[in-house]
Amino acid sequence: MRHAALVGLVAGFVLAAALLVHFGLKEVGAALGAAGATGLAAISLLHLAAMAVMGVGWWALAGGRSGAGPQTFIWGRLMRDAGSEVLPLSQVGGYVLGARAIALRGVDAALAAATTIADVTLELSAQVVYTMLGLALLIGLRPETKLALPVLIGLAVALVAVVGFVLMQRNGASQLDRLATRLARGWITALSAAAGAVQAEIRRIHARPGGVSICFLLHLAAWIGSSAEAWVALRLMGVTLGFAPVLAIESMLYAIRSVAFVVPNAIGVQEGAYIMLGAGFGITPDQALALSLLKRGRDLVLGIPPLLIWQFVETRRFWGRRVPARAGEVAPVPVVKRSGTPPC
């Protein structure tokens, strides 16, 4: 899988570079310059707000059992996205990185893993609804579109997968045991969480429908609100589209990105999708490419600082465990905190 991702990444870079050269580096640079630092700052702040909303949704799944406030889960969400967007080939992975981030701040390891599994499921569920809304808008605005049928097929498959996954988490004891074991296997070393404990926590999460509903609705709000990033960026470039067309474009874009999961960070795929989708709404290829590059710049702005902080924290913990005891002393046994938020 890692080799396939590497091949996809290289192919994506080649495609993105070819698109930039074909449509003109000068033209793309001019469109990017029209948005400028103001555009980058604006979409970064909007995206940060969306991540905060999703972090609160994640926190709602844990209820009062986490022993941590929503800021801990917002930090975990920042780490999750940083790992996914800035380190696409990392063996740790964004999901594990986010779960470990909240575990290091005192959340029980099994609860951190379980809430991550449930949160990812609900985020995907919200994306399905978001894509349905976007498709309805696309058909209403552009009845001649040829995207409707393939997107509908993809939505049907995604909907069946999501429903099956949710039912398995709620009711499927033996299936859930196997699923939790598979999903937690790669997390056991990083989180010290046993698969059985993770499975038990997942059941407790689904026993609280209020928390599940809040998480889903906040994810849906974040998906819809994220379209504002593209709308603002396009406005700064001189493209005066309404919010509904932009939402249709963005929802279709993320549907295409989901299908192209084998290509890390959808390099090249995102650029090509923006050109294809934007053409139907009067967005020129250079503006579409500039929008894509602006969003990739946003990922770096929001992703690099958390990763640097994480590296500092992990390095300090590593060397703290390796400091030898002085002569005549017994080295202290490391204690893993399970509740409460340590000062860091």
Side-chain angles (χ1 to χ4, degrees):
M1 186 66 182
R2 185 176 176 83
H3 293 300
L6 184 59
V7 171
L9 183 64
V10 172
F13 270 118
V14 172
L15 175 59
L19 289 172
L20 287 169
V21 171
H22 178 74
F23 290 108
L25 292 173
K26 183 178 179 181
E27 289 78 3
V28 174
L32 196 58
T38 301
L40 179 60
I43 68 169
S44 296
L45 287 173
L46 287 169
H47 196 68
L48 187 61
M51 285 196 288
V53 169
M54 291 186 285
V56 172
W58 185 7
W59 171 72
L61 290 177
R65 295 184 301 111
S66 67
Q71 69 277 5
T72 293
F73 288 82
I74 293 172
W75 169 248
R77 181 70 204 202
L78 280 169
M79 291 303 307
R80 184 197 297 182
D81 284 16
S84 299
E85 302 297 337
V86 182
L87 301 175
L89 293 179
S90 171
Q91 290 183 334
V92 177
Y95 299 140
V96 178
L97 195 56
R100 179 164 174 78
I102 65 172
L104 288 177
R105 293 178 64 87
V107 177
D108 179 79
L111 183 60
T115 53
T116 299
I117 293 171
D119 185 62
V120 170
T121 305
L122 291 166
E123 183 175 359
L124 178 58
S125 304
Q127 186 185 358
V128 170
V129 176
Y130 173 60
T131 304
M132 288 178 177
L133 175 60
L135 181 60
L137 289 172
L138 181 64
I139 293 174
L141 294 168
R142 294 291 183 272
E144 71 281 2
T145 182
K146 296 180 180 180
L147 281 175
L149 182 59
V151 171
L152 279 172
I153 294 173
L155 277 172
V157 173
L159 188 59
V160 170
V162 167
V163 170
F165 196 34
V166 171
L167 290 176
M168 190 181 298
Q169 289 182 44
R170 284 176 176 269
N171 306 313
S174 59
Q175 294 92 337
L176 185 57
D177 285 338
R178 290 195 292 270
L179 177 65
T181 299
R182 289 180 182 178
L183 290 175
R185 185 180 297 140
W187 300 12
I188 291 173
T189 300
L191 295 173
S192 301
V198 173
Q199 175 232 327
E201 289 292 352
I202 290 176
R203 287 191 177 130
R204 291 190 187 97
I205 289 168
H206 285 287
R208 296 179 57 252
V212 171
S213 299
I214 290 172
C215 182
F216 171 79
L217 291 173
L218 288 178
H219 273 300
L220 181 59
W223 274 116
I224 294 173
S226 67
S227 301
E229 299 175 37
W231 182 80
V232 168
L234 288 170
R235 284 272 171 169
L236 292 173
M237 292 179 199
V239 181
T240 55
L241 276 179
F243 187 75
V246 174
L247 191 152
I249 292 171
E250 289 292 297
S251 62
M252 294 301 102
L253 169 73
Y254 282 101
I256 292 170
R257 281 189 56 135
S258 297
V259 173
F261 63 90
V262 72
V263 181
N265 217 355
I267 298 289
V269 176
Q270 176 173 295
E271 285 70 25
Y274 261 135
I275 292 172
M276 177 187 68
L277 294 167
F281 291 94
I283 300 174
T284 61
D286 54 293
Q287 291 168 335
L289 289 170
L291 175 59
S292 181
L293 291 176
L294 203 61
K295 292 178 78 171
R296 296 201 184 280
R298 172 209 68 193
D299 292 338
L300 294 176
V301 167
L302 296 178
I304 291 177
L307 286 175
L308 291 175
I309 295 172
W310 167 71
Q311 187 64 41
F312 172 75
V313 171
E314 292 285 13
T315 301
R316 188 176 63 176
R317 285 172 55 84
F318 174 78
W319 287 110
R321 289 194 299 265
R322 290 178 63 91
V323 173
R326 289 177 293 184
E329 292 183 352
V330 178
V333 178
V335 177
V336 179
K337 297 194 71 174
R338 293 295 185 184
S339 62
T341 305
C344 68

